[in-house]
Amino acid sequence: MTQDEAKLKAAQRALDFVQDGMSLGLGSGTTSAIFIKQLGERVKQGLRVQGIATSDASQRLAESLSIPITTFDQCPELDIAIDGADEVGPDLALIKGGGGAMLREKIVAGAAHRFIVIADSSKLVDTLGRFPLPVEVIQMALPLVSRKLEALDLNPKLRHHPDGSLYITDEGNFILDCACGSIPDPAWTASELRGIVGVVEHGLFVNMASLALIAGDDGVREVLP
Ligand SMILES: O=C(CO)[C@H](O)[C@H](O)COP(=O)(O)O
């Protein structure tokens, strides 16, 4: 099975958890985009749902498929958030933010009764940290936060687009990608990052996911924390 086929299988399985009338968190990234497209098909067939998107790109995609979009004003609680991940580690600790959307992704996941991760099996790891950990930073604080992350040996590098221009998040911030290597205690690292003024959010999701749907050659596995 190719990686794209596995992403499709995980996204399709996630649809089994969606019921008529639900409010959904719509993730970001390629796997989530596949899920949103599948959901759009169901909406076309009459499924009634509403969603809050985790990025401008996902919102545009959902709107193009006539999936109703709502806000936290109108809908402060979501039934399920469905999103991809860059790494899925023990206890379903995650690294997210490869697509730069981890701030809204964490807000949306935190507002959901269930947070379901969809991923192909290449994302499963024994220890988080092979994927660079994204840290979203207020622009004016960049030099200060960079120094603090260096002092923690996190090896931060400012994210750029492939054309060399600076990467700016949907919320107008910079991202420092930390090639820090193994993260043996994600909760500890998360709390260190949380304590740095100027850090808006980071890509460690600890104790948030309630289920991961991991697709590979052996089918779609349901992984619990
Ligand atoms: O966290 C994310 C975006 O900020 C994505 O969920 C993550 O990068 C996985 O993306 P993909 O499904 O394309 O592998």
Side-chain angles (χ1 to χ4, degrees):
M1 187 184 291
T2 66
Q3 192 180 24
D4 282 347
E5 284 165 350
K7 288 178 183 184
L8 176 61
K9 292 274 175 222
Q12 281 171 332
R13 177 65 70 85
L15 281 175
D16 294 347
F17 294 82
V18 176
Q19 291 169 11
D20 201 54
M22 277 188 165
S23 303
L24 304 173
L26 304 173
S28 297
T30 54
T31 318
S32 292
I34 294 169
F35 172 76
I36 294 169
K37 285 178 193 160
Q38 299 282 316
L39 184 68
E41 288 298 315
R42 294 287 174 93
V43 166
K44 220 185 272 174
Q45 292 159 12
L47 179 76
R48 288 164 307 158
V49 290
Q50 57 182 357
I52 295 185
T54 54
S55 60
D56 293 346
S58 291
Q59 178 152 341
R60 281 194 299 272
L61 177 61
E63 284 171 342
S64 76
L65 298 164
S66 304
I67 298 170
I69 292 296
T70 185
T71 63
F72 284 126
D73 261 344
Q74 294 160 326
C75 178
E77 286 177 33
L78 300 169
D79 294 294
I80 313 178
I82 293 158
D83 203 347
D86 299 298
E87 282 188 348
V88 180
D91 300 321
L92 297 191
L94 312 172
I95 289 184
K96 287 185 51 55
M102 68 276 190
L103 172 56
R104 292 189 193 174
E105 288 172 338
K106 206 174 270 188
I107 292 168
V108 167
H113 292 291
R114 291 186 88 183
F115 172 31
I116 300 179
V117 178
I118 49 176
D120 65 88
S121 57
S122 72
K123 305 290 182 62
L124 268 185
V125 296
D126 292 331
T127 310
L128 295 180
R130 196 177 52 200
F131 190 91
L133 172 63
V135 177
E136 182 161 347
V137 181
I138 292 282
Q139 293 199 16
M140 80 165 288
L142 183 69
L144 306 178
V145 174
S146 294
R147 275 198 219 166
K148 296 214 164 142
L149 296 180
E150 272 156 20
L152 287 169
D153 276 334
L154 291 180
N155 198 17
K157 193 159 170 271
L158 188 58
R159 186 181 295 188
H160 291 79
H161 288 286
D163 68 3
S165 60
L166 270 172
Y167 186 96
I168 309 283
T169 68
D170 284 346
E171 299 296 334
N173 302 309
F174 290 143
I175 289 187
L176 288 165
D177 288 306
C178 297
C180 51
S182 165
I183 303 174
D185 186 348
W188 183 84
T189 304
S191 91
E192 289 293 304
L193 292 171
R194 169 67 56 215
I196 300 174
V197 177
V199 168
V200 182
E201 198 44 87
H202 56 78
L204 282 172
F205 284 51
V206 182
N207 294 327
M208 294 193 76
S210 45
L211 176 67
L213 302 172
I214 305 292
D217 287 333
D218 51 351
V220 182
R221 274 200 293 145
E222 296 192 3
V223 183
L224 295 166

